[in-house]
């Protein structure tokens, strides 16, 4: 009979899977703490990895950490573990985002359907390449929407005027960022031949967006791809035609605030893992979410959905290269 008592090595494996989650600019804004005796694993926000200009409320930070938490749950389920999961357990400590309690008789909920998503954690990648025009089948869309519902969120697929409007808002935000410059983008961009003081060098980087992940520049098409290197010419980068009619998904929650941001992040990751398992390439586009005046315009006023937490791009195409991660020893503290 499983006891659900976990050793250090299992905690390390769980954290490795958690840290494979997507995060804004690959900042990986998380740390973990495993209490051996108490058999609890904490997920904490890393205050050194916040983005004051593009994410002043830490919404995107919570979304990324919500994705990491979903991976933790999937990794635990895959190992036959059913921890009790508590979100934001201490109002006096808002940086403590979640606690997972392991050990016998904890009474956590078994999540066998999450175990089936575990295999996709290592395969999921953000792709900034063009996708083909092949439509995502309706049955796959329905499965992905069901994944989001499991996390209390919704996934909708904008079409017609709403799709055009969402694309316009993202283009507008992308232009604005290009015009003004975005210090957060600059901080996390990793180029091989960085100009002094402009962007951190790529050598040995364990975080940030690497040159190989940029994808080509957009010649034509309407795919909402963020151009991280907008101010920095990158030798040999090239350009390409992207989808004329991109296939987007919008993750929304009922309310807003840290709990919903974590839930929205979990829903996003569940959708991304489901899409990866179904053979889709995926990308994220949050330019318009980073500007409060544009964020509120993203939602479909004719639908019942609440605040938008994420815009995804789905389709058939190259998966994108693996992005680096900080080693587990740097993000996990093990206490007696
Ligand atoms: C909250 C959030 C916002 C993101 N916004 C964008 C975006 O606007 N454009 C983009 O290309 N990728 C975006 N990403 C994806 C990250 O850049 C990506 O996850 C990170 O670079 C790590 O790469 P990986 O997803 O391949 O592991 C976002 C991810 C998160 C969690």
């Amino acid at each position: 009979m499983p006891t659900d008592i976990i050793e250090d090595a299992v905690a390390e494996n769980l954290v490795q899977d958690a840290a494979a989650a997507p995060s804004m600019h690959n900042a990986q804004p998380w740390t973990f703490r495993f209490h051996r005796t108490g058999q609890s694993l904490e997920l904490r926000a890393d205050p050194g990895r916040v983005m004051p200009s593009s994410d002043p409320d830490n919404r995107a930070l919570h979304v990324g950490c919500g994705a990491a938490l979903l991976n933790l749950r999937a990794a635990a389920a895959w190992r036959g573990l059913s921890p009790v999961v508590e979100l934001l357990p201490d109002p006096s400590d808002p940086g403590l985002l979640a606690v997972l309690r392991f050990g016998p008789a904890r009474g956590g909920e078994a999540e066998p359907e999450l175990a089936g998503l575990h295999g996709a954690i290592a395969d999921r990648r953000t792709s900034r390449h063009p996708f083909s025009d092949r439509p995502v089948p309706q049955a796959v869309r329905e499965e992905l929407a069901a994944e989001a519902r499991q996390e209390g969120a919704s996934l909708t697929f904008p079409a017609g005027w709403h799709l055009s409007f969402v694309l316009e808002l993202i283009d507008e935000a992308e232009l604005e960022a290009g015009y003004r410059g975005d210090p957060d983008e600059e901080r996390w961009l990793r180029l091989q031949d960085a100009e002094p003081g402009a962007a951190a060098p790529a050598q040995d980087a364990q975080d940030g967006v690497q040159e190989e992940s940029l994808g080509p520049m957009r010649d034509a098409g309407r795919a909402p791809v963020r151009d991280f290197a907008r101010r920095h010419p990158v030798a040999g980068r090239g350009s390409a035609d992207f989808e004329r009619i991109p296939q987007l998904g919008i993750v929304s929650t009922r309310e807003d605030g840290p709990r919903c941001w974590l839930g929205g992040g979990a829903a996003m990751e569940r959708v991304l893992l489901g899409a990866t398992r179904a053979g889709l390439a995926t990308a994220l586009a949050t330019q318009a979410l980073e500007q409060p005046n544009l964020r509120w315009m993203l939602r479909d006023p004719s639908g019942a959905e609440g605040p938008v937490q994420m815009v995804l791009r789905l389709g058939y195409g190259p998966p994108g290269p693996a992005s680096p991660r900080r080693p587990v020893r740097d993000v996990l503290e093990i206490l007696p």
Side-chain angles (χ1 to χ4, degrees):
M1 188 179 147
T3 62
D4 266 21
I5 290 186
I6 63 169
E7 308 285 339
D8 293 359
V10 173
E12 284 163 10
N13 289 338
L14 294 174
V15 166
Q16 171 126 28
D17 283 333
S23 60
M24 188 155 151
H25 305 352
N26 198 25
Q28 305 162 45
W30 44 62
T31 60
F32 301 85
R33 212 177 265 172
F34 177 50
H35 298 262
R36 223 181 252 145
T37 314
Q39 285 287 301
S40 66
L41 183 58
E42 296 175 359
L43 164 60
R44 294 184 159 273
D46 184 338
R49 291 169 179 267
V50 296
M51 301 201 186
S53 86
S54 44
D55 188 32
D57 300 330
N58 289 336
R59 191 197 64 82
L61 177 148
H62 283 76
V63 169
C65 288
L69 178 59
L70 188 280
N71 281 8
L72 265 185
R73 284 166 47 209
W78 183 70
R79 288 174 174 80
L81 301 165
S82 354
V84 175
V85 182
E86 199 182 347
L87 295 187
L88 301 167
D90 183 355
S92 69
D93 184 4
L96 176 56
L97 302 181
V99 182
L100 281 72
R101 295 182 209 285
F102 296 88
R106 293 282 202 192
E109 215 178 298
E111 301 194 278
E113 66 298 339
L114 272 188
L117 290 174
H118 176 260
I121 289 177
D123 296 337
R124 184 214 57 79
R125 309 234 168 119
T126 299
S127 174
R128 299 184 186 89
H129 287 271
F131 297 168
S132 79
D133 288 331
R134 182 178 156 199
V136 177
Q138 186 57 24
V140 174
R141 288 170 181 244
E142 282 165 18
E143 270 169 38
L144 300 181
E147 297 290 0
R149 275 198 301 279
Q150 289 290 328
E151 299 301 320
S154 66
L155 174 72
T156 51
F157 301 95
W161 74 268
H162 189 220
L163 174 62
S164 295
F165 189 53
V166 168
L167 293 171
E168 271 166 34
L169 292 174
I170 298 174
D171 275 349
E172 162 95 19
E174 178 76 8
L175 275 174
E176 172 88 14
Y179 179 68
R180 272 191 295 111
D182 178 345
D184 292 326
E185 268 183 17
E186 294 280 322
R187 177 181 169 200
W188 297 101
L189 177 61
R190 307 280 182 255
L191 297 179
Q192 296 293 344
D193 299 313
E195 303 146 28
Q203 289 78 9
D204 305 324
Q206 297 172 338
D207 53 19
V209 176
Q210 320 293 302
E211 209 167 293
E212 312 81 67
S213 300
L214 295 174
M217 287 176 284
R218 189 176 73 176
D219 272 340
R222 299 217 59 199
V225 182
R226 187 192 289 258
D227 191 353
F228 281 92
R230 56 183 103 240
R231 286 165 177 247
H232 307 280
V234 173
R237 184 170 166 210
S239 58
D241 291 350
F242 281 74
E243 312 84 282
R244 266 184 323 107
I245 307 180
Q247 305 184 74
L248 302 188
I250 293 186
V251 174
S252 316
T253 50
R254 268 186 225 116
E255 317 262 331
D256 218 18
R259 192 172 289 270
C260 291
W261 301 336
L262 289 170
M268 168 197 77
E269 180 67 347
R270 214 165 158 143
V271 169
L272 291 174
L273 296 180
T276 304
R277 187 173 61 178
L280 296 176
T282 62
L284 304 170
T286 53
Q287 297 93 321
L289 286 165
E290 289 150 36
Q291 298 193 22
N293 53 334
L294 300 184
R295 180 181 173 215
W296 296 109
M297 292 161 76
L298 285 169
R299 68 173 283 278
D300 179 354
S302 63
E305 284 71 39
V308 172
Q309 305 299 351
M310 184 49 70
V311 178
L312 304 99
R313 181 168 69 105
L314 303 166
Y316 295 92
S323 293
R325 292 294 188 274
R326 291 186 287 161
V328 168
R329 66 173 180 277
D330 290 359
V331 294
L332 171 64
E333 187 184 358
I334 299 187
L335 300 170

